[in-house]
Amino acid sequence: MSPAHRLVDTHAHLEELPDLPAALERAGEAGVTAIVAVGSDPDSNRRVLEMAATHVGFVYAALGLHPGLLTNATPLREGIRFMEDHLPQAVAVGEVGLDYHKRVVAAAGKELQHRAFNAVLALARRSGKPAIIHSRYAWRDSFTLASGAGVDKAVFHWYTGPTSVLREIIDRGYFISATPAVEYHAEHRRAVKEAPLESLLLETDCPVAYQGHRSEPADVARVLLAVAEIKGLPPETVAGKTTDNAHRLFGLQASERG
Ligand SMILES: [Zn+2]
């Protein structure tokens, strides 16, 4: 049986999945035709590049520096240089951004987070590649830095921030992406409802566990159904538009898989 929809998981931590071949198989069966594998640190950046080279036309790499993994001991300069050297093999920079949760700020202060984010944003601007942005409790600052850096292509992933910042994100031509939390999380549901379909992508942020269920790329099919329900639109309309958005933002080839 062929899947009902063609979907892109625009944000997956594939290197953290316990059985990647099986997960990719299930993703294909669920209609996933492309996955953006986001890196978080130098080690995972190497891993996502290997995966993209192994699964050409299905897995695409993004190179990042996750604020949640930064510490004063992070070799920032080498990390940035690695990203710069390998950016031609990647479709985006990310996961990168700001996280003002107090546990994260205790490990990596705001000044360090801003320095790392600005360095990656400069790479995004120079390369013309989109930025995949983490902005927990830092929505306003994340938007201001990205926009101020002259980055024209960006997605604020798993957006749960205020409507005022969401409007600016949309007006700037940026995207937000919906995770499986869209099934139950009030702020995330509100943001997805308020964002036009033209500004929306789907993702899983796997292997994040949602209500006790550890996610994988196939769960993007659940995200589709929840978004369609919130928007009062047929799933095929949401699938068509969000997949087209992902292809355009990341410059993916139209895959003939599935
Ligand atoms: Zn993530």
Side-chain angles (χ1 to χ4, degrees):
M1 200 181 81
S2 74
H5 308 290
R6 297 161 68 84
L7 301 169
V8 180
D9 183 354
T10 62
H11 189 120
H13 297 274
L14 291 188
E15 82 284 359
E16 295 178 31
L17 293 179
D19 186 350
L20 181 63
L24 293 182
E25 184 73 33
R26 287 190 291 269
E29 288 164 9
V32 177
T33 54
I35 301 169
V36 179
V38 293
S40 304
D41 63 4
D43 185 51
S44 58
N45 285 339
R46 283 192 185 84
R47 299 279 308 279
V48 297
L49 286 168
E50 286 165 16
M51 289 174 192
T54 306
H55 304 280
V56 175
F58 188 38
V59 174
Y60 297 85
L63 303 178
L65 273 181
H66 196 297
L69 295 180
L70 282 178
T71 69
N72 287 318
T74 304
L76 211 50
R77 197 187 301 264
E78 289 112 273
I80 297 287
R81 194 178 317 124
F82 179 87
M83 291 168 70
E84 186 158 30
D85 290 347
H86 293 85
L87 218 42
Q89 291 110 265
V91 295
V93 299
E95 181 166 2
V96 70
L98 304 173
D99 192 321
Y100 291 171
H101 187 288
K102 64 177 187 298
R103 183 185 48 78
V104 176
V105 172
K110 291 185 183 179
E111 195 270 334
L112 172 63
Q113 290 194 31
H114 283 222
R115 207 145 35 88
F117 190 28
N118 274 323
V120 178
L121 288 170
L123 284 185
R125 192 188 58 75
R126 284 208 299 277
S127 65
K129 304 222 172 182
I132 299 170
I133 297 173
H134 174 107
S135 58
R136 186 166 60 155
Y137 307 134
W139 305 288
R140 163 67 54 197
D141 283 3
S142 298
F143 173 79
T144 302
L145 290 191
S147 185
V151 168
D152 290 327
K153 292 189 274 184
V155 51
F156 285 71
H157 110 91
W158 196 346
Y159 186 83
T160 57
T163 299
S164 55
V165 180
L166 177 60
R167 286 214 187 92
E168 293 183 59
I169 286 170
I170 291 161
D171 288 349
R172 186 69 168 82
Y174 296 159
F175 291 81
I176 66 164
S177 52
T179 70
V182 78
E183 291 177 340
Y184 59 88
H185 187 275
E187 280 78 26
H188 192 38
R189 288 174 68 84
R190 177 191 40 73
V192 167
K193 191 179 173 73
E194 288 172 354
L197 210 47
E198 289 67 32
S199 308
L200 202 57
L201 303 172
L202 308 182
E203 59 150 316
T204 62
D205 203 15
C206 65
V208 167
Y210 300 91
Q211 295 185 314
H213 169 80
R214 184 165 65 188
S215 60
E216 59 177 52
D219 291 312
V220 80
R222 287 171 46 199
V223 181
L224 168 70
L225 295 181
V227 171
E229 177 257 310
I230 286 172
K231 297 230 164 264
L233 290 170
E236 51 269 32
T237 304
V238 176
K241 189 66 194 162
T242 54
T243 295
D244 185 51
N245 290 344
H247 278 258
R248 277 188 297 110
L249 180 65
F250 296 111
L252 311 181
Q253 309 107 357
S255 160
E256 291 309 316
R257 280 178 66 104

